[in-house]
Amino acid sequence: MIRLLIADDQALVRGALAALLGLEHDIEVVAEVGRGDQVLAAAVEHQAQVALLDVEMPGLDGIAAAAQLRKGLPGCRVLMVTTFGRPGYLRRAMQAGASGFVVKDTPAKQLADAVRRVHSGLRVVDPTLAAETLTSGESPLTDRETEVLRAASQGGTVADIAKATFLSEGTVRNYLSSAMGKTSARTRAEAVHTAEENGWLL
């Protein structure tokens, strides 16, 4: 039996995944958690062999949780699952040690097969997302530009962003201007949208 942990902050989705995958003859759902910062402890406690992680979760995002698992329980393989197939997510997930990446509308039988393949040591990647990742390239944003855009995504004024990032207002304007140039955006909102669509802000 493959010992599977499921992490998703939406109880309904988590329950549905557990019910569907639990029907498989060779998969046992040993733990379910709703936060990224609960993943490692649950995986260690239940000796999970595969962790099915949502990308966007409170406490810790799924990609950071995957990196924790790689260090804390290296024998547990990670299969990322997300509603939003963003190229930047895939690249970062693989860098964090994930073995697979699929979208949530993957049919149940294919998802179960992905769990089996990841468990056996293979890589499983949604083909459309893989193609988009190859064509989109790495994020052009620096860490600081990413941080400022992430703060900008919450709304608010330049003063609010400066306060949130512990930078001066002039520095924030410079980073926003640079980020807009790199994303070919005319406005701050456009830059945020482009960065979010490409998965550069997680």
Side-chain angles (χ1 to χ4, degrees), residues 27-169:
I27 296 174
E28 180 187 5
V29 179
V30 294
E32 298 176 47
V33 297
R35 295 174 56 90
D37 52 8
Q38 297 171 338
V39 169
L40 179 59
V44 170
E45 180 185 349
H46 297 280
Q47 287 300 294
Q49 296 169 307
V50 176
L52 186 66
L53 307 182
D54 185 24
V55 172
E56 297 181 10
M57 290 187 287
L60 202 65
D61 67 70
I63 293 171
Q68 272 194 351
L69 273 175
R70 183 170 61 175
K71 291 177 184 172
L73 191 64
C76 180
R77 299 191 175 275
V78 174
L79 177 61
M80 303 298 306
V81 60
T82 183
T83 305
F84 308 105
R86 292 173 176 153
Y89 287 1
L90 171 58
R91 191 181 303 278
R92 289 184 53 214
M94 292 308 185
Q95 289 168 348
S99 298
F101 202 109
V102 295
V103 289
K104 279 185 183 171
D105 61 2
T106 300
K109 289 294 178 189
Q110 284 184 30
L111 185 57
D113 189 50
V115 169
R116 293 184 188 101
R117 290 168 66 192
V118 164
H119 176 256
S120 69
L122 299 173
R123 281 196 182 276
V124 180
V125 178
D126 179 87
T128 305
L129 190 55
E132 287 175 1
T133 300
L134 286 172
T135 56
S136 72
E138 299 251 8
S139 170
L141 304 170
T142 66
D143 289 345
R144 276 298 199 184
E145 288 162 355
T146 302
E147 182 186 6
V148 167
L149 274 190
R150 196 180 290 127
S153 72
Q154 304 302 311
T157 63
V158 168
D160 294 329
I161 297 168
K163 189 175 179 183
T165 56
F166 304 101
L167 297 169
S168 71
E169 292 183 30

Side-chain angles (χ1 to χ4, degrees), residues 14-33:
R14 189 169 68 245
L17 288 170
L20 287 168
L21 293 169
L23 293 173
E24 299 294 321
H25 68 93
D26 56 348
I27 296 174
E28 180 187 5
V29 179
V30 294
E32 298 176 47
V33 297

